[in-house]
Amino acid sequence: MADIFDKIIAGEIPAYKVYEDDDVLAFLDISQVTPGHTLLVPKKHVADIFDYDDQTAREVLLKLPILARAIKASNPAITGINIQSNNGPSAGQTVIHSHWHLIPRYDDDNLNAQLAPTIDHSADFTPARYQEIANQIAKEMEAGK
Ligand SMILES: [Zn+2]
């Protein structure tokens, strides 16, 4: 059964995409724990970290530092980044399609990183604001290729 990320990958559900190639898709997490919060997912359905073949792991994990640099470069106020992947319901995984959270950190964000995946700031973001953030990161991904 197709999960929400399969539907985003298939274009059946819209997303604020920041990067796409044959193997991976990166898009803004709608919750925006902090501005620029991005998800990186394999296009191939991989349930969790235990389910990766070597080739898919190479394709996805190679993109993590590249995407992290693009996110940091997209906003001078970003001074750090948390990268987190929850694997299995006991670890807090809610969408059973492997995904990597890249959560930008700001010097004054007062964020408890351990609570980050449960925070939802989507009410503070307009479609125009999401698109602006996505465009800034996408531009840096293009520049960093
Ligand atoms: Zn899936």
Side-chain angles (χ1 to χ4, degrees), residues 13 16 41 43 96 101 114:
I13 293 177
Y16 296 97
V41 303
K43 285 189 169 178
I96 309 303
H101 292 266
Q114 291 184 315

Side-chain angles (χ1 to χ4, degrees), residues 57-125:
R58 271 191 289 273
E59 291 157 356
V60 174
L61 300 181
L62 181 67
K63 282 296 180 303
L64 274 177
I66 297 169
L67 184 56
R69 283 193 292 268
I71 292 168
K72 187 169 187 288
S74 73
N75 182 342
I78 295 172
T79 52
I81 194 161
N82 288 109
I83 297 177
Q84 182 171 343
S85 180
N86 301 329
N87 295 278
S90 64
Q93 185 179 14
T94 53
V95 178
I96 309 303
H97 181 129
S98 177
H99 54 285
W100 299 77
H101 292 266
L102 294 95
I103 302 173
R105 301 304 302 271
Y106 301 77
D107 287 345
D108 58 351
D109 62 28
N110 296 314
L111 181 69
N112 178 341
Q114 291 184 315
L115 294 177
T118 66
I119 296 168
D120 184 352
H121 288 146
S122 59
D124 301 335
F125 287 79

Side-chain angles (χ1 to χ4, degrees), residues 1-6 9 43-46 96-98:
M1 198 176 75
D3 53 70
I4 187 168
F5 295 156
D6 294 315
I9 291 161
K43 285 189 169 178
K44 177 180 179 181
H45 179 84
V46 174
I96 309 303
H97 181 129
S98 177

Side-chain angles (χ1 to χ4, degrees), residues 24-67:
V24 306
L25 178 64
F27 53 95
L28 298 187
D29 187 311
I30 204 73
S31 69
Q32 292 294 286
V33 166
T34 63
H37 177 192
T38 300
L39 296 178
L40 176 65
V41 303
K43 285 189 169 178
K44 177 180 179 181
H45 179 84
V46 174
D48 54 33
I49 194 72
F50 311 111
D51 194 29
Y52 275 82
D53 58 75
D54 288 356
Q55 181 60 31
T56 305
R58 271 191 289 273
E59 291 157 356
V60 174
L61 300 181
L62 181 67
K63 282 296 180 303
L64 274 177
I66 297 169
L67 184 56

